Structure formats: C-alpha cells, structure tokens
Amino acid sequence: MTALRRLLLAVLAFAWAGSLAGCTGLPRAELGSATLRSTSDKATGRLDSLVWDLPAGEPTTLDYQQAGDSSPYLVVSNLCDSLLRLNPDFSTSPALARSWDQPDARTLVLHLRDDVRFWDGTALTSADVVYSLKRQLDPNAVASSFFVNVKSIEATGTHTVTVRFTRPDELFLKELATTAGTVVQARYARRAGRKFGTAAGGVMCSGPFELAAWTSGASIELKANPRYWDARYRAHARKVTLLFVTDTTALTQALASGAVDGAYDVPNAALPTLKGSVAGQLYYGPSLKSVQVAPLQEKGISAEPDIRRALSLAVDRTQLADTVYRGAATPSTTVLPATGWDPETRSVYRKAAAALPLAHPTPTAADLRTARALVAKHPALRSGTLAVAAGNQDQINAAAVIQQAARSIGITLTIRQLPALQFSSMFYDPTYRRGLDFVLAEAFLDIPDPLDWIPNLVLPDAMFNWAGFDDPAATAALTTAQQTLDPRRRAALITDAQRRWEARTLAVPLLSPYEVTYMNKRITGATTSFAQTFAPSLALIGSR
C-alpha cells in the first residue's frame, strides 16, 4: 500500500502558518533568524565527487515498487524518472510525460517524450510505462492504494499510454510525480526477476545518475549519466558516494569535519554543533513531515482510545519542539497536519480543526487531571513499550519526554531501541511488532493532499491501521472523497471523517518538523524542501 513511506519510517508533516505562498500553499515562515527556503543557491560548477549521507540508513531495496522510506526514495528518484516532476515548491510539471489530457472523468491519456533513453542506450516507449505502472497494481506494492480505482493501463501508441478508471480519481495524476509514477526498463526488470532492485540485480532506468555499485553495509556509488535528456537536471557531480551513517554523533562529526559533504534530514541533536560549523551551512525548508506516537496492536494498552487520549493530553509538545528539535519543528495536535491540507480549501480544514477537542501544545492542569481519570478507568493497562530507532538521538530524547509524561499520569513506558533494519522492517512485517505497543513514528505525505496519506491509517485493512480502527462512515467519506473532483466537496467529506478518527485518538500527534539540510561550504544547489525526496535533487548539487 502506498504508505510505507508515510506513517512509518521516514517522516511526515510540518506546520503551516500564515497565508498561501503563490500556488503551492506553502508559506514562508521564520526559524529564529533563518527563513524557510525551498532551494539553495544554484550551483555554478562541476564536482569530481560528492559524498552524501542517508541518515535513515541503507535502503532495503532500490525497486521503486517496494520503496517505502526516505533512503530508497532518494536513491530511486536520482536513478529513475517519474512521469511527472515534483518541484521544490511542491507543484508538479511534465517529466517523462510531456503532456496529458483527460477526455472524461474516468480517462487519463499520457503523451510521452520521444527522446528519452535508458542507460544502456535503448529508447523508452509506452511498453515500459505500461509495465512499470501495472506493477503498482500488486496489492503488495507500496503505492498500490493510489491505483485502487485503476481499471486498465494500455499502450495506445508508441509514446501514448491511456489509463482508465472504474470511478473518478482526484489523486492519481498528482501521485505520478512520486515513485508511484516511476518508470523502469521492462526488459531488464523481467530478466532480473526477484533480484531487481537488489545489490546483486540492480536496476535499469533513465535518470541523471546510473547505479555504479552497491556494497551492502558500506555505500552506494552513483555515476553521472552524460546523455540525460533533461538539461536542467544533468548531474553536476561525476560521482556520488552515498553512506549509511545513522548514528547521530558519528554523522555530526563527519559533517562538521568535511568527511561527508552533506545530508538531508539532519538529526536535530546535531544542530547546535552544525550551526556553529565553519565548514558548512544548515538550511531549513518547508516539509510534509510529522512525528507521532502510533499504536501497534489491536489488543492491549495501545489499542485503548482512552489511553491514547490520555497520552495526547499529557505530552508537552512545546517542550519537544524547543528542546529536542531545537526549534526546527512546531507542535501538532491533530493526526491530519496542516501540511496535508489541499491548498485550494485551507479555510475549510482550518475551520474543522478549530472545532475539534484537540490537546493543548502545553498541557494544562485540567488536561492532566482528565488524563489521569482516563487512565484510572483501565487498571490492567498501566504499562507498555515504546519503540524508537537505535542511534537516532532525536527519537531517544523525544521518547524520554513521552516516558516522563506517561509516568505523570500513571503509565509506565519502557523504551525499546531497535536497530535501523529492524525498525524499518517493523512497518512492513508484523512479526517485528511482537512485544511492542507503540512506535515513535516519523511519517510524511508525498504531496499536500490529505488522501495521499490518511486512508493508510483509517481504512479497515490499511497498512498502518495496526490498532484495528474501523468506522464505516469514515471509510465511506474517504472513499467518496477520492472520487470527488470538486475540492470544497472533497474537503467537507474528509473533515467529516476527521471528526470520527479524532474522537478515538487514532494516534498521538506530536510535531511537524521542518526539512533540515546541511551542505559543506564548497557545494550548493540542493533542493531544501521535502520535495527533494521524490526529485533528482542530488543532480543539482555542484560547486559554488
């Protein structure tokens, strides 16, 4: 399903403030003396080599169909092209699809470029696009939920693909700017079989970088594709080395010393050191991230809405934002963060959120009394476990604040640090969730649209609905919303469902972080908004 990307491992929403900025819906906001920006200064020169870190760790796969968190997303998006391009301001533009039209509400016709070649020199055709999109119909594909309304995908010309739907779908076209719209060479993928996307099998794509080597446990090497079709995204670096440094202290030292040139999603525990570094610069950008405590079980302490509500009332989000995130986040009190609102109907979502009985960013005395009363109703549910990623100091520090808040209302939470691979696998495989009650989840939307992510938490069989939430009215509202092309009608349906899931405290929302990027002073050009996740952002990085 489409989400392993979202509620799980990686990261989800930042809080909006103020009015729309142009057509993107993302405002300019202040972080101390720094302004949120979507791009860094444009690169002016080439690089022989670039060393970049993946703080989320080594990708489990480079198969776009199974990519579900920030590491594989970034690598895949620099190797493989999607049908649409996600721009730094979260707008979309043509990519492999040079244009498209919709002759009716249930038909989408994609007109492909005729000048695109894979790394081996063969031409990209509609057959490759059909193959790539049809793989997403597999229920086990990460992006499968974006394809639920697809009836057929057919090549209707050498460079034309027609997608027909069983019902209208407002989301599908937008998602083609993410890995849901990634295109690979059909012949290569078929021959590789189960090895496709592995260190042994590799991939065959048309992006600005080619996969040169993947040494498991050590690094991934990319080399520039000199024949890349899009001059705007031709790689400035001849070679890129991607490292898998997940330990906060080690990464901080590597960045400050210049051993690593840069990284996205810089841990907030590293900010005090990196702010004072003379070797490079921190950039704060608009994001689609959020942090929340998510329930992992259908029985026990995490399955009880009263306990989740009590925790939500007790946690001091202001403390988390100021001390753990060093000001690089804002408190969030709803599962649907403001980042996910449709820019066309923000007023509808704002009004709905104001009417919800949400927790306060800083708990009041009344909040704590209510929380203790809720816990008192369940004497058998007084202890549980909270999973965090080992070595991630942000999560470890945040978990300590949550643990203290739980203790203040009569709940004992034991923090379990999981190695990166085990932490990632927990979101995919229920066997890794055994013995755990909650997870401190860093989740994200791919695009600013509630339906990009919320159904993966709310629908009965959704991948991240681990606590078994089931509300037929909410399900019906969200299902109808995806078929509704009018944005105001769609927003009314979504906010109706929101009232229902918030009444049961679907999860405990905490923060909306900013995108934090660090670059050595010798380089520039990186996209600094969350759009870097699904764009060939490494190709833009060069010398000053």
Side-chain angles (χ1 to χ4, degrees):
M1 303 265 300
T2 207
L4 259 201
R5 30 165 95 206
R6 301 171 241 227
L7 192 173
L8 49 88
L9 358 319
V11 261
L12 149 235
F14 97 119
W16 299 19
S19 58
L20 297 179
C23 62
T24 69
L26 291 172
R28 295 174 66 84
E30 297 295 320
L31 179 68
S33 61
T35 300
L36 294 187
R37 53 189 298 185
S38 297
T39 60
S40 57
D41 294 339
K42 188 175 180 180
T44 59
R46 303 289 176 183
L47 296 170
D48 286 331
S49 64
L50 172 70
V51 180
W52 200 263
D53 188 54
L54 303 177
E58 182 173 7
T60 54
T61 181
L62 295 184
D63 181 353
Y64 70 98
Q65 187 213 43
Q66 294 300 313
D69 62 87
S70 57
S71 288
Y73 282 151
L74 178 65
V75 183
V76 169
S77 297
N78 281 275
L79 295 172
C80 308
D81 288 313
S82 293
L83 289 161
L84 274 64
R85 184 84 78 202
L86 186 63
N87 301 314
D89 64 359
F90 298 104
S91 63
T92 59
S93 58
L96 294 182
R98 58 177 173 79
S99 64
W100 51 87
D101 55 77
Q102 296 175 280
D104 59 62
R106 299 188 184 192
T107 306
L108 171 65
V109 181
L110 300 166
H111 304 285
L112 309 177
R113 298 182 65 95
D114 61 6
D115 59 350
V116 178
R117 293 188 176 274
F118 293 106
W119 304 326
D120 64 2
T122 60
L124 181 146
T125 70
S126 55
D128 299 296
V129 175
V130 169
Y131 170 83
S132 300
L133 293 181
K134 281 189 172 181
R135 291 189 73 221
Q136 306 284 29
L137 296 172
D138 184 337
N140 293 318
V142 170
S144 62
S145 65
F146 297 144
F147 286 71
V148 292
N149 294 324
V150 172
K151 180 180 180 181
S152 65
I153 305 170
E154 300 175 331
T156 48
T158 306
H159 293 93
T160 306
V161 172
T162 299
V163 182
R164 292 185 172 85
F165 303 90
T166 57
R167 54 182 65 88
D169 191 320
E170 70 88 21
L171 190 62
F172 183 84
L173 181 62
K174 301 175 188 177
E175 297 294 349
L176 295 184
T178 72
T179 48
T182 295
V183 176
V184 300
Q185 188 188 81
R187 182 182 63 183
Y188 185 96
R190 289 192 180 103
R191 288 179 177 176
R194 291 176 179 266
K195 291 185 177 180
F196 183 74
T198 67
V203 296
M204 178 57 64
C205 292
S206 60
F209 288 104
E210 301 179 31
L211 180 61
W214 181 357
T215 305
S216 295
S219 65
I220 291 175
E221 301 283 343
L222 312 180
K223 65 178 181 180
N225 174 8
R227 297 175 300 278
Y228 188 54
W229 59 271
D230 190 346
R232 299 169 302 168
Y233 281 90
R234 285 190 188 135
H236 285 71
R238 294 180 178 86
K239 181 180 76 170
V240 176
T241 301
L242 299 172
L243 303 180
F244 316 136
V245 182
T246 59
D247 182 80
T248 300
T249 300
L251 177 57
T252 304
Q253 293 173 346
L255 291 170
S257 69
V260 173
D261 291 315
Y264 288 119
D265 301 323
V266 174
N268 291 287
L271 299 187
T273 298
L274 296 180
K275 281 180 180 177
S277 173
V278 297
Q281 181 179 347
L282 284 166
Y283 298 82
Y284 301 92
S287 180
L288 299 179
K289 304 176 183 178
S290 71
V291 178
Q292 55 191 259
V293 174
L296 291 174
Q297 305 296 339
E298 293 189 13
K299 296 180 180 179
I301 187 171
S302 66
E304 175 51 56
D306 283 345
I307 298 296
R308 300 196 298 263
R309 175 66 175 166
L311 284 172
S312 186
L313 289 169
V315 174
D316 191 334
R317 294 165 175 83
T318 303
Q319 179 187 4
L320 283 172
D322 291 345
T323 63
V324 176
Y325 278 74
R326 309 303 202 280
T330 56
S332 179
T333 56
T334 172
V335 171
L336 174 58
T339 339
W341 297 349
D342 188 329
E344 295 180 273
T345 51
R346 285 183 54 78
S347 61
V348 177
Y349 291 102
R350 185 181 295 109
K351 182 178 180 180
L356 293 170
L358 301 176
H360 297 100
T362 301
T364 65
D367 289 335
L368 296 176
R369 287 195 298 270
T370 300
R372 294 187 185 105
L374 290 169
V375 172
K377 293 166 58 178
H378 305 280
L381 303 177
R382 298 296 178 85
S383 64
T385 57
L386 173 64
V388 300
N392 185 323
Q393 202 60 47
D394 291 342
Q395 288 209 346
I396 294 169
N397 292 343
V401 174
I402 297 164
Q403 184 183 52
Q404 181 182 18
R407 186 182 300 118
S408 74
I409 58 174
I411 296 174
T412 300
L413 278 184
T414 300
I415 299 170
R416 287 271 302 277
Q417 295 189 41
L418 305 181
L421 185 59
Q422 183 180 353
F423 186 77
S424 173
S425 298
M426 174 182 57
F427 295 95
Y428 300 80
D429 188 341
T431 61
Y432 288 92
R433 298 196 288 271
R434 291 173 184 166
L436 304 172
D437 297 298
F438 299 97
V439 60
L440 186 55
E442 299 178 333
F444 57 86
L445 291 86
D446 298 346
I447 58 174
D449 185 319
L451 296 177
D452 171 82
W453 177 67
I454 285 295
N456 295 292
L457 300 178
V458 175
L459 299 185
D461 296 324
M463 179 171 289
F464 304 127
N465 186 1
W466 298 311
F469 177 83
D470 188 357
D471 186 310
T475 298
L478 292 177
T479 301
T480 303
Q482 192 162 340
Q483 304 170 34
T484 303
L485 304 183
D486 178 78
R488 294 195 69 83
R489 290 178 55 205
R490 186 167 65 248
L493 289 163
I494 293 170
T495 53
D496 178 63
Q498 182 184 26
R499 285 190 290 272
R500 296 176 180 276
W501 77 64
E502 290 292 352
R504 293 182 61 81
T505 314
L506 190 64
V508 181
L510 299 173
L511 298 171
S512 293
Y514 304 128
E515 184 66 33
V516 182
T517 304
Y518 178 87
M519 284 189 289
N520 187 281
K521 63 182 180 181
R522 78 184 183 97
I523 63 174
T524 187
T527 297
T528 53
S529 72
F530 180 74
Q532 54 84 10
T533 306
F534 296 108
S537 47
L538 297 177
L540 300 175
I541 301 174
S543 64
R544 290 185 174 274

